[in-house]
Amino acid sequence: MGGTSGEERPTTLGEDLDETTAAIMEAVYRALSNNGYPATTMSEIAAEFEKSKSLLYYHYESKEEILNDFFAHLCERLEATLVEDPYDDPHEQLLALIDRLLPAEMDDESLRFRRAFFEIRSQAPHNQSYHEQIERSDEIILEALTETIRRGVDEDRFADVDPEREAELLFSTIYGIMERGVTLEDRALIERNKETLHDRIDRWLLESE
């Protein structure tokens, strides 16, 4: 989700980034995971950076600037992971999308990072650059859900629904599940609600026999 998205550690971006940029993105991830958004400063990011601190400050002058790049990279990775390995069956693909957005297992670091991401989302109404990045991540997820539902409708696999409206509702539900689970530090809540969501989709979207 955005950020409510699957396991999107910046280390997974290493294939597409130069070594320094990948190390900076990993430092941002660790700083956010360890400190949360309010307490994450350039100094905290620098403390997590394994290379020269002057190199970090050469590339970035402010927390806002470095976070903008960090979320841009997460969006790129999110877009790639949501479209890879398409399924023959749109129903299976939709369930796989949900599983990526609500991962079955999250370690403590991943949980803390998601909490920091929700803290950042709360700043979006007051920060245009954050708003744009979050809006982009939401659009990526909504497009993937919409296209999967539309494909199911077109192939008579799903009921005749409005793909955009159903995707919007589904994403809002997924986001709510993740936010509650992360806020309460309750992984079982996430898994329990994901299983219920799978069942609801079967009754809600699948064409009756």
Side-chain angles (χ1 to χ4, degrees):
M1 50 218 64
T4 70
S5 67
E7 188 60 21
E8 303 304 333
R9 290 196 58 159
T11 47
T12 62
L13 295 169
E15 297 177 0
D16 303 319
L17 301 177
D18 63 76
E19 183 180 349
T20 298
T21 304
I24 291 173
M25 296 299 102
E26 176 68 13
V28 176
Y29 178 91
R30 288 197 300 266
L32 286 170
S33 298
N34 292 334
N35 303 291
Y37 170 74
T40 294
T41 62
M42 285 296 289
S43 295
E44 294 292 345
I45 295 171
E48 299 290 346
F49 187 51
E50 298 176 351
K51 298 179 180 293
S52 166
K53 303 301 183 283
S54 60
L55 186 60
L56 176 69
Y57 287 101
Y58 173 79
H59 285 280
Y60 297 99
E61 296 181 355
S62 68
K63 170 181 171 177
E64 180 174 314
E65 184 182 3
I66 199 170
L67 284 179
N68 280 337
D69 270 9
F70 178 73
F71 288 114
H73 288 309
L74 287 188
C75 283
E76 291 172 7
R77 181 58 185 167
L78 176 63
E79 190 167 25
T81 59
L82 288 180
V83 299
E84 65 186 15
D85 301 328
Y87 288 74
D88 292 333
D89 179 14
H91 175 243
E92 291 182 3
Q93 181 153 344
L94 184 60
L95 296 183
L97 281 172
I98 293 171
D99 289 344
R100 290 193 179 192
L101 296 169
L102 295 171
E105 297 182 3
M106 290 187 291
D107 59 23
D108 290 343
E109 185 181 48
S110 299
L111 197 67
R112 291 194 303 268
F113 171 73
R114 281 169 171 77
R115 186 184 305 121
F117 186 74
F118 285 123
E119 292 169 348
I120 293 168
R121 286 187 72 105
S122 72
Q123 304 299 311
H126 316 290
N127 186 309
Q128 183 61 31
S129 57
Y130 290 174
H131 183 278
E132 290 173 356
Q133 294 290 0
I134 290 169
E135 186 175 49
R136 182 185 170 205
S137 69
D138 283 7
E139 287 174 352
I140 291 169
I141 295 170
L142 281 168
E143 182 177 357
L145 293 172
T146 300
E147 290 307 310
T148 302
I149 295 172
R150 178 175 290 115
R151 178 184 160 210
V153 172
D154 291 344
E155 295 178 5
D156 294 324
R157 186 70 171 97
F158 294 161
D160 187 13
V161 298
D162 182 326
E164 291 184 355
R165 293 184 63 181
E166 300 302 331
E168 185 82 44
L169 177 60
L170 179 56
F171 179 40
S172 296
T173 302
I174 292 169
Y175 180 86
I177 292 170
M178 180 57 74
E179 184 175 36
R180 283 191 65 217
V182 167
T183 301
L184 298 174
E185 298 184 355
D186 190 343
R187 297 173 180 82
L189 182 153
I190 296 172
E191 185 62 23
R192 184 171 64 251
N193 280 273
K194 182 174 69 173
E195 291 176 0
T196 302
L197 186 57
H198 279 205
D199 292 340
R200 288 286 188 274
I201 284 174
D202 288 350
R203 283 182 277 173
W204 164 47
L205 282 179
L206 289 184
E207 286 283 359
S208 58
E209 297 294 336

